[in-house]
Amino acid sequence: MKIRYLTLANFRNLKDKKLDLSGNKVTIYGRNGSGKTTVANAIINLLADSSVTGEKDFSPKTEGTHKLNHVATMTVVADDGEEISLSKDFHEIWKKKRGSQTATFSGHETTYEINGIPAKKKEYDSRVAGICGGDSKRIMMLSLAGYFAEDLPMDERRKILVDICGDISDDEILNLSGIAPLKEYLPVPGVNSRRYTPEEFLQMAKVKRRDLNKKIDEIPARIDELSRTLTDENVDFDELPNVLKALQEQKAQMQIQPKNTTILGIEAAMAGIRTAIEKGRESYYREHVDTTKERLESYRAQETEIQKEINHLSIQAFEAGEQLKKMESEREKCLADFDALKMEKWNPKSEICPTCGQVLPVDTVRQLRENWLEKLAERKAEINARGKEVSKENIAAQKEKADSFQERLTLKQAELSEVQNKKLALVNSEPNSSYEDSEKYKENKLRLEELSAKLEQAKAEQGDTKPDTSEIDAQIAEVQEYLARHKAQESARQRIEELQSEMKQASADLDYYDKGIHLCETFFREKMRYVSEKVSEHFETVGWRLFKEQINGGLAECCEPLIANDKGVKVEWKSANTAAQINAGLEIIDVLSKHFNTYLPVIVDRAESVTDLREMPRHQVIRLVVSKDDADLNVVNE
């Protein structure tokens, strides 16, 4: 595509300017402030709705002026030879409110024309994309030296470069020595026919490593918690069951005497209660360790699950809120668009030919008016359709939905706080180390005392003399307490061994995934080196760095051009001088143009800084050169 003419009216500092570029390579000379950059901005604004200066919300409006039309019109020749006129008119909107005789400013708008015929922005952009072979980003990267290297997002640069050179298969890299062991990590467990890609395995391995590190951090605290329940007692626990049995037999011998059925029944009941007390004591010491641990683990599990729900609800509440804001904003925009539409009037200038300045034929004017009315109707229908989507009813429903998510989120946050408080209270609570303080023990003890009194009465009635077993009973109780405590501590020791085993396995797994991550990073490092070399093969002087080594040994993706300096050493783009950057930018445009098979006009600003500008035989190169002798713009065709 080539540019023939560029006409500007009230476009920044150029009030009325027509430039004849003739589709040739040209040099535009001018002093600083004479409008060279304005010309470049006009070209890029017409083609890509942007600017060479990178201004956000670029406006062609002349500072301090009002009620003027700021117009840029460009005649181009497409690759198929068709000559096309593209025009944009940026102007203020002034409206008279009902009951007022004075119009007030209500914003700006841009109108579009193709070959002198009004067009919608969508139609205009589509036509430009067809002429230029792509969207606005492609137009910028094929027209501005430096845009690809400095302004295009890094991921998009990488993708385009890989598309140019063709990707390298993973198998090619996996077969290299030093990386081949990575193959052993890639098979998907339980699925023989499938394996992870290195990217998938790396992502999964990093999640595993994070979880394992968390587990390894938590286990020592849990082991320490159990260890505090262990005591060093100088007791032969292996012999205690035999001691208990001997004491119980000794007591039984002391109590042997003829008994009536009443005494036997009471003694049987008392024996059952004593057994219950023994089991309760053993269960108490076991639960004192295990139950606290299980409750803590239960609270942790609840906390994790509730947090997941909070995260999910937070996302839903945020998205619902954002959608509500968008709907409210869109409704306001629809109302404003509809008000603006009602104020639109037929522009009499449309009845005049833009080329010769003569009034158009009546039939042509009538057709133009019909087209204009038809477009107004289409815009009204389009606004109505948009308005239905954001009706008051739909907005109210969306608000109710957003409020519902927020209410559920608040409830879940309260639930999380309650669980966290319970967990904290359990961690900070002092354990009750005496089974005898429990309600169940007191109940059994009282019942035992009652039965003991009945037994004494029954024996007195029988004339029996009760043997004194208080000393042996105390010995039996002491042995039973030792045994109960020993069983609880054995349970704690077993759990400690399990946790130590888990710690050992987690460390082994962490080592496995660390090695896998290292192999993946080596794989990507080697692959990027291969890709970098293949990319660089398409360029004469420009090289590419596609990754950087981090301090921790990992890789960070990048996409930085390297430019050869006067000694032949390739340096970073930002370290090269202006002339080197411009020529490197032109080389990049040349390679991209061949790849996309699209050749657009190329704008070279600060061209006076380059003594040996790169040749671009297939492009229309527009050089902007500072010249103190040219107060007005001077276009020189080459």
Side-chain angles (χ1 to χ4, degrees):
M1 189 264 281
K2 301 289 192 302
I3 302 173
R4 282 195 176 173
Y5 304 104
L6 177 66
T7 303
L8 304 176
N10 300 313
F11 199 97
R12 288 288 173 95
N13 60 325
L14 297 179
K15 306 303 180 185
D16 183 14
K17 193 71 175 176
K18 183 173 182 178
L19 303 178
D20 183 359
L21 307 184
S22 302
N24 298 326
K25 296 181 180 181
V26 299
T27 300
I28 301 178
Y29 296 94
R31 292 179 183 174
N32 290 328
S34 60
K36 299 185 301 301
T37 302
T38 299
V39 170
N41 276 332
I43 294 172
I44 294 302
N45 187 254
L46 283 165
L47 296 179
D49 200 23
S50 186
S51 67
V52 297
T53 49
E55 300 173 50
K56 291 184 178 180
D57 301 321
F58 173 80
S59 169
K61 188 175 180 179
T62 307
E63 188 67 28
T65 62
H66 297 286
K67 297 185 178 181
L68 293 177
N69 291 77
H70 310 276
V71 184
T73 303
M74 184 165 65
T75 302
V76 302
V77 180
D79 291 342
D80 60 3
E82 180 184 5
E83 187 170 289
I84 305 159
S85 173
L86 304 171
S87 182
K88 283 187 178 184
D89 183 347
F90 181 84
H91 50 269
E92 298 172 344
I93 301 174
W94 293 77
K95 295 181 180 179
K96 287 184 180 179
K97 294 183 179 180
R98 183 176 298 176
S100 174
Q101 298 299 318
T102 305
T104 58
F105 173 72
S106 62
H108 296 89
E109 72 171 349
T110 302
T111 55
Y112 304 83
E113 288 186 359
I114 302 173
N115 293 329
I117 306 299
K120 294 181 179 179
K121 183 180 188 306
K122 185 176 180 181
E123 296 171 342
Y124 182 93
D125 290 342
S126 176
R127 188 63 184 275
V128 170
I131 298 169
C132 298
D135 60 10
S136 59
K137 282 188 178 179
R138 183 176 296 184
I139 293 171
M140 299 279 279
M141 75 174 75
L142 296 182
S143 298
L144 299 178
Y147 178 82
F148 184 86
E150 296 182 281
D151 301 313
L152 194 68
M154 181 266 288
D155 289 342
E156 295 183 37
R157 290 203 300 269
R158 287 173 61 90
K159 183 179 184 305
I160 292 172
L161 291 176
V162 171
D163 287 343
I164 289 174
C165 73
D167 202 358
I168 297 174
S169 71
D170 289 349
D171 289 337
E172 288 183 64
I173 308 301
L174 286 170
N175 289 327
L176 297 175
S177 61
I179 303 177
L182 179 59
K183 294 180 182 179
E184 300 175 8
Y185 289 78
L186 300 181
V188 177
V191 186
N192 296 330
S193 59
R194 187 178 181 277
R195 68 176 188 174
Y196 294 112
T197 65
E199 289 86 351
E200 291 172 338
F201 179 81
L202 180 61
Q203 184 178 10
M204 181 268 293
K206 286 183 176 179
V207 172
K208 292 284 188 183
R209 181 170 64 179
R210 181 198 64 200
D211 294 342
L212 288 168
N213 277 321
K214 182 180 179 182
K215 187 174 185 179
I216 290 172
D217 288 342
E218 291 176 348
I219 287 178
R222 296 168 65 184
I223 291 176
D224 183 62
E225 180 183 335
L226 291 169
S227 298
R228 287 198 298 269
T229 66
L230 303 178
T231 58
D232 295 328
E233 299 182 81
N234 189 19
V235 177
D236 186 358
F237 289 103
D238 293 337
E239 187 60 26
L240 282 181
N242 296 329
V243 173
L244 178 62
K245 182 178 180 182
L247 289 171
Q248 289 172 336
E249 289 175 354
Q250 182 180 347
K251 180 179 177 181
Q253 288 297 325
M254 292 172 64
Q255 295 174 323
I256 292 176
Q257 58 178 311
K259 302 183 180 78
N260 61 30
T261 55
T262 300
I263 292 174
L264 290 172
I266 294 173
E267 288 180 340
M270 292 177 70
I273 293 174
R274 289 191 185 98
T275 300
I277 290 174
E278 292 173 9
K279 290 182 177 179
R281 181 177 285 109
E282 178 184 329
S283 175
Y284 174 82
Y285 284 108
R286 183 174 63 250
E287 291 177 358
H288 175 67
V289 175
D290 293 346
T291 302
T292 300
K293 171 178 66 63
E294 290 173 1
R295 288 172 65 194
L296 278 173
E297 290 178 350
S298 174
Y299 285 145
R300 290 189 184 107
Q302 291 179 52
E303 189 177 8
T304 299
E305 189 61 31
I306 294 172
Q307 188 61 58
K308 288 181 181 178
E309 294 182 32
I310 286 176
N311 293 340
H312 183 62
L313 284 171
S314 296
I315 294 172
Q316 290 179 311
F318 174 77
E319 291 178 345
E322 289 299 303
Q323 180 62 23
L324 177 61
K325 291 178 183 177
K326 289 180 181 178
M327 292 175 70
E328 291 173 339
S329 175
E330 178 62 16
R331 178 171 178 80
E332 292 178 2
K333 189 174 185 304
C334 285
L335 293 173
D337 289 347
F338 190 76
D339 289 340
L341 187 66
K342 290 192 296 184
M343 297 301 295
E344 285 196 18
K345 304 295 182 184
W346 169 255
N347 185 1
K349 291 183 179 180
S350 301
E351 300 177 7
I352 299 173
C353 176
T355 303
C356 64
Q358 299 296 317
V359 177
L360 295 171
V362 175
D363 291 342
T364 302
V365 171
R366 182 170 56 253
Q367 184 61 48
L368 288 174
R369 288 182 64 87
E370 289 176 357
N371 292 344
W372 178 74
L373 290 172
E374 183 180 345
K375 290 183 186 299
L376 282 182
E378 289 175 357
R379 288 168 60 191
K380 182 178 180 180
E382 185 263 338
I383 293 171
N384 286 335
R386 286 162 48 206
K388 289 180 181 178
E389 295 293 326
V390 291
S391 64
K392 290 183 179 179
E393 293 77 10
N394 288 347
I395 289 176
Q398 183 63 28
K399 185 177 188 305
E400 183 178 351
K401 182 178 179 182
D403 291 344
S404 173
F405 282 133
Q406 189 60 49
E407 182 179 349
R408 289 166 59 192
L409 177 61
T410 302
L411 291 174
K412 278 297 172 185
Q413 288 171 335
E415 185 179 347
L416 176 63
S417 178
E418 181 181 355
V419 171
Q420 290 173 334
N421 290 336
K422 288 181 179 178
K423 184 183 75 171
L424 183 62
L426 182 61
V427 171
N428 294 332
S429 64
E430 290 293 334
N432 181 1
S433 59
S434 175
Y435 167 66
E436 283 70 17
D437 291 334
S438 68
E439 292 299 323
K440 190 64 177 176
Y441 172 80
K442 292 177 181 178
E443 180 183 334
N444 285 332
K445 184 68 174 177
L446 179 61
R447 180 61 180 153
L448 195 60
E449 290 173 353
E450 292 173 351
L451 289 173
S452 179
K454 288 183 180 181
L455 180 62
E456 291 299 323
Q457 182 180 355
K459 287 182 178 181
E461 291 173 355
Q462 183 180 331
D464 178 48
T465 302
K466 178 182 177 182
D468 184 6
T469 61
S470 58
E471 184 177 346
I472 198 168
D473 284 339
Q475 294 176 21
I476 289 173
E478 183 180 6
V479 172
Q480 288 173 334
E481 184 171 350
Y482 272 125
L483 284 172
R485 192 156 60 240
H486 176 63
K487 288 184 178 180
Q489 292 192 15
E490 283 299 308
S491 176
R493 288 189 180 93
Q494 182 179 354
R495 181 58 184 152
I496 288 173
E497 290 177 0
E498 291 174 357
L499 289 172
Q500 289 172 336
S501 178
E502 289 180 21
M503 182 83 165
K504 184 177 180 181
Q505 184 60 49
S507 297
D509 291 343
L510 181 62
D511 183 60
Y512 170 82
Y513 285 113
D514 278 341
K515 290 179 180 177
I517 289 171
H518 172 72
L519 285 170
C520 283
E521 290 177 342
T522 303
F523 168 87
F524 291 122
R525 187 180 292 107
E526 195 63 24
K527 185 174 181 179
M528 288 301 100
R529 185 179 67 81
Y530 270 58
V531 173
S532 296
E533 290 177 355
K534 288 190 68 176
V535 167
S536 297
E537 289 175 0
H538 291 76
F539 293 83
E540 297 174 16
T541 63
V542 179
W544 292 93
R545 178 187 293 143
L546 300 182
F547 68 91
K548 285 183 178 179
E549 292 276 357
Q550 296 180 308
I551 296 176
N552 61 6
L555 293 176
E557 289 187 346
C558 65
C559 187
E560 299 177 355
L562 304 174
I563 306 173
N565 61 18
D566 53 1
K567 296 180 180 179
V569 179
K570 289 187 176 179
V571 299
E572 294 181 352
W573 175 279
K574 60 186 178 183
S575 301
N577 59 44
T578 301
Q581 288 179 346
I582 290 175
N583 274 329
L586 292 177
E587 182 178 342
I588 292 172
I589 288 177
D590 206 12
V591 173
L592 294 175
S593 297
K594 292 175 184 176
H595 175 66
F596 292 116
N597 193 27
T598 302
Y599 296 85
L600 302 181
V602 177
I603 299 172
V604 182
D605 199 2
R606 299 174 296 169
E608 72 280 352
S609 63
V610 188
T611 57
D612 188 12
L613 192 69
R614 177 185 175 87
E615 291 293 329
M616 303 284 283
R618 298 195 61 178
H619 293 80
Q620 180 186 19
V621 178
I622 301 172
R623 299 171 64 245
L624 305 179
V625 175
V626 175
S627 171
K628 67 178 181 179
D629 296 328
D630 293 285
D632 195 11
L633 294 181
N634 179 21
V635 179
V636 177
N637 280 265
E638 296 182 10

